[in-house]
Amino acid sequence: GIYDLGAARTSGVSVPPLEGKYWLNRFDILFELPMWPFDDAAELDFLIPNDPALQGQSIQLQIVVGSDPRSRQGAFSQLATIQIL
C-alpha cells in the first residue's frame, strides 16, 4: 500500500498502463505483499504517537494491485481518507 499525510489531489491522474487514477500528492510505501493472504479485506493496526500536532490531520491511503505493479501491470484502488482524532 502507499500513503500520504496531507491533502489529496483535486483530480486523479492517469498513469498508463495502470488502470484507475492516482490521487496522492506524493507517497511512501507502507507495505508490499507478493500475494494477498486474506480472503477479502485486511485489518491493519498502527500505533499513532500521542502528539497533539497530529490531531485533525488526514492520512490518505491508496493501493496498487495486480500481478506485478512494479512493472506497471495492475490498477489503483480508490482513495481512502482516515482522520486522526
Side-chain angles (χ1 to χ4, degrees):
I2 53 180
Y3 75 97
D4 180 25
L5 181 63
R9 295 176 186 267
T10 55
S11 62
V13 176
S14 294
V15 183
L18 293 174
E19 306 256 343
K21 300 281 185 177
Y22 174 70
W23 287 92
L24 302 176
N25 284 318
R26 61 175 185 79
F27 72 91
D28 293 302
I29 296 175
L30 186 60
F31 64 88
E32 185 176 344
L33 297 171
M35 284 184 52
W36 190 253
F38 312 103
D39 290 334
D40 283 335
E43 188 173 305
L44 304 171
D45 292 325
F46 295 96
L47 296 176
I48 298 173
N50 188 11
D51 183 345
L54 295 175
Q55 289 181 337
Q57 292 288 324
S58 294
I59 299 172
Q60 315 294 327
L61 301 166
Q62 190 171 25
I63 297 174
V64 180
V65 295
S67 60
D68 188 1
R70 286 190 180 263
S71 68
R72 297 179 169 247
Q73 296 175 3
F76 289 109
S77 70
Q78 295 180 3
L79 183 70
T81 301
I82 300 169
Q83 187 172 20
I84 299 173
L85 303 175

